[in-house]
Amino acid sequence: IDVREERLVDITAPERYVALSYVWGQAPSFRLLRGNLARLCESGGLGAIQSELSQTTMRLVALMGERYLWIDALCLVQDDGQDMTHGIENMDTILALTLWIHLFNLTSTSVTSVESGD
């Protein structure tokens, strides 16, 4: 996610990024689907999503001076088995390369933050 342009992007060169990792639980969340992928790749496409968690995290990343953010629900196409399998198989690498990881359990009131990387 490019938080400056509020859109999904493919990053081909190594970039610094922040990751949000959380337990979905019963909390409803906005998800990337094949049907909304093109719209979310347009500049400002993520500005209209109704997920408070995603919007707050994008603002926080921007305030930190970082540009890119990984959120599983928005970076893996949730209704594309091949994309999900590829992402899950590479999750250790995705999270290992992050600048910072925020961990949330959406099924309780506890929030844990873990610093990772540089």
Side-chain angles (χ1 to χ4, degrees):
I1 298 169
D2 184 326
V3 299
R4 292 182 194 160
E5 295 185 13
E6 295 185 330
R7 68 186 191 107
L8 299 179
V9 293
D10 279 327
I11 298 176
T12 56
E15 293 284 350
R16 291 166 44 120
Y17 61 94
V18 175
L20 173 68
S21 182
Y22 55 94
V23 176
W24 286 24
Q26 299 301 315
S29 66
F30 185 86
R31 301 179 309 149
L32 174 61
L33 304 171
R34 285 179 275 194
N36 62 16
L37 176 60
R39 178 175 49 92
L40 297 178
C41 288
E42 296 172 2
S43 184
L46 288 169
I49 65 172
Q50 298 299 312
S51 169
E52 183 177 337
L53 179 62
S54 298
Q55 289 293 337
T56 300
T57 305
M58 287 191 298
R59 284 192 298 272
L60 177 62
V61 169
L63 287 171
M64 291 170 53
E66 298 300 330
R67 182 168 188 170
Y68 299 106
L69 169 65
W70 172 276
I71 300 176
D72 297 347
L74 295 174
C75 294
L76 297 175
V77 184
Q78 303 295 306
D79 61 350
D80 181 328
Q82 185 176 6
D83 192 57
M84 290 292 292
T85 299
H86 179 73
I88 291 167
E89 288 174 349
N90 290 290
M91 194 58 61
D92 59 336
T93 302
I94 292 166
L95 295 179
L97 297 173
T98 61
L99 171 68
W100 189 278
I101 301 175
H102 286 274
L103 301 172
F104 292 93
N105 179 344
L106 299 179
T107 61
S108 71
T109 58
S110 66
V111 176
T112 305
S113 183
V114 178
E115 184 174 343
S116 174
D118 185 71

